[in-house]
Amino acid sequence: MAKKSMIARDVKRKKTVERYAVKRAALMAAFNAAEDPMDRLEIHRKIQALPRNSARIRVRNRCWATGKPRGVYRDFGLCRNQLRERAHKGELPGVVKSSW
């Protein structure tokens, strides 16, 4: 189980990303469309003025069952340990133990 403070920090980051998503997308579109270097510099400063945690890249993939940050499979949202346990119990539809 991950530390509660780290899980809470990540939840806070997700909320911040949602709050600033529209504004950040608009600024990025304007930045990519701008031809003049001075305009690009001004738009870039506006992007930098946004909170760091409003960037989507700062959100960490975590297991929804344990909160672990490493070894998380995107298809299931589970870490490798939970994926293995639940697959053996038959709780994951379509997942079977491989043998050859």
Side-chain angles (χ1 to χ4, degrees):
M1 185 75 183
K3 286 172 44 174
K4 298 284 186 182
S5 60
M6 300 304 283
I7 295 171
R9 184 183 299 171
D10 211 44
V11 169
K12 185 178 177 184
R13 282 185 180 148
K14 286 179 185 176
K15 289 179 184 176
T16 307
V17 167
E18 289 175 10
R19 188 178 314 128
Y20 286 95
V22 175
K23 188 173 185 178
R24 183 174 281 274
L27 285 172
M28 289 301 291
F31 180 79
N32 292 330
E35 295 291 327
D36 185 35
M38 295 307 288
D39 288 342
R40 287 175 69 99
L41 186 63
E42 183 179 332
I43 294 168
H44 191 264
R45 285 191 181 130
K46 289 179 182 177
I47 293 170
Q48 285 182 328
L50 294 175
R52 274 189 175 184
N53 286 337
S54 68
R56 198 179 44 168
I57 195 73
R58 290 179 64 98
V59 176
R60 181 86 174 157
N61 287 342
R62 290 189 175 270
C63 174
W64 59 264
T66 61
K68 290 179 65 157
R70 304 278 178 124
V72 177
Y73 286 81
R74 288 183 182 175
D75 294 340
F76 304 100
L78 291 169
C79 63
R80 58 190 178 82
N81 304 330
Q82 289 293 312
L83 180 75
R84 185 170 189 270
E85 280 182 23
R86 291 169 191 256
H88 283 307
K89 291 179 184 174
E91 295 177 359
L92 299 176
V95 177
V96 293
K97 186 172 184 293
S98 124
S99 61
W100 57 89

